[in-house]
Amino acid sequence: MGHHGADPADTMREDRFRRIYAEHFSTVLGYALRRASSDDAADVTAEVFLVVWRRLPEVPEPPATRLWLYGVARRTLANQRRGTRRRDDLSTALRQELAGAVPDHADAAVARIDAAAGIADLAARDREVLRLATWEELEPREIAEVLGLSAVVVRKRLSRARARLREVTGHEPTPPGHVRGVREAQEVHETQEPQR
């Protein structure tokens, strides 16, 4: 494979890089494999030879070449571990934050399953009105706009759908993931208190 017409300086640079790569690839890979997983070791080895290419004038001649490459590999591995630690720390922090932000909705899930069964019994047109009101939290006038109906028709369908759902499940539908707030709970409690 000739370098016909190539700049002699470029040719010398490529030849030197090829020679270093051929002589030290397995050495660098072995060094990385003894310290990291095969995937990580492959990444480290690729990064080391990228550094060799970029900093070729700084690469010492043998016998110092191998030790210089080990130094680059060691720093590359350290950077890789720091990056992995940062990602793991961030992932842990996000999981903890999400655990605090998203409470356990076991009771709400059961209620939603009941509601889903009740919704399935409704006529298709009533089902969609109820879903838009409950899950998308739209007002009747907004539902009317989405469905191309009058607000009067939407209110009738919504009233009928909610009544049917109460018959089936015994409670009002709530949006997925929605937990009744204190005020809502008080309102429900007040309506259930016996009259004196």
Side-chain angles (χ1 to χ4, degrees):
M1 184 166 99
H3 298 285
H4 187 67
D7 182 323
D10 288 345
T11 301
M12 284 174 60
R13 177 184 168 83
E14 283 180 29
D15 286 346
R16 183 164 185 235
F17 176 81
R18 288 173 197 271
R19 190 171 66 251
I20 293 168
Y21 184 87
E23 288 173 12
H24 297 285
F25 174 81
S26 58
T27 305
V28 173
L29 181 60
Y31 176 95
L33 279 169
R34 287 186 288 278
R35 290 160 178 81
S37 70
S38 55
D39 285 348
D40 289 345
D43 289 344
V44 166
T45 304
E47 183 63 29
V48 167
F49 283 101
L50 192 59
V51 170
V52 169
W53 177 254
R54 285 198 309 254
R55 295 170 54 191
L56 199 57
E58 298 170 41
V59 180
E61 292 296 333
T65 312
R66 182 165 58 100
L67 299 181
W68 188 89
L69 291 170
Y70 282 166
V72 174
R74 184 182 64 78
R75 287 188 295 277
T76 304
L77 273 165
N79 289 339
Q80 187 185 69
R81 285 183 187 127
R82 271 195 300 275
T84 301
R85 263 198 311 275
R86 273 196 302 270
R87 278 194 303 277
D88 289 348
D89 290 348
L90 179 61
S91 183
T92 300
L94 284 172
R95 274 197 298 273
Q96 288 169 347
E97 202 170 309
L98 282 171
V102 182
D104 182 6
H105 294 305
D107 291 342
V110 171
R112 284 201 306 278
I113 290 166
D114 289 346
I119 288 172
D121 289 343
L122 299 173
R125 60 189 189 179
D126 294 344
R127 256 197 319 259
E128 185 56 16
V129 165
L130 192 60
R131 283 176 180 149
L132 288 169
T134 307
W135 293 355
E136 314 309 329
E137 300 180 343
L138 298 183
E139 296 293 324
R141 61 179 172 72
E142 295 170 319
I143 297 169
E145 194 173 321
V146 171
L147 299 179
L149 299 169
S150 74
V152 173
V153 170
V154 167
R155 281 192 194 90
K156 281 182 186 168
R157 287 188 186 174
L158 197 51
S159 176
R160 185 171 57 227
R162 282 181 171 149
R164 174 71 185 127
L165 202 59
R166 269 193 304 275
E167 282 173 31
V168 174
T169 65
H171 53 75
E172 288 282 344
T174 56
H178 178 76
V179 175
R180 289 180 190 275
V182 175
R183 219 176 98 197
E184 289 170 283
Q186 281 176 334
E187 285 169 6
V188 169
H189 180 68
E190 283 162 12
T191 58
Q192 290 173 348
E193 275 185 356
Q195 296 294 323
R196 296 185 185 184

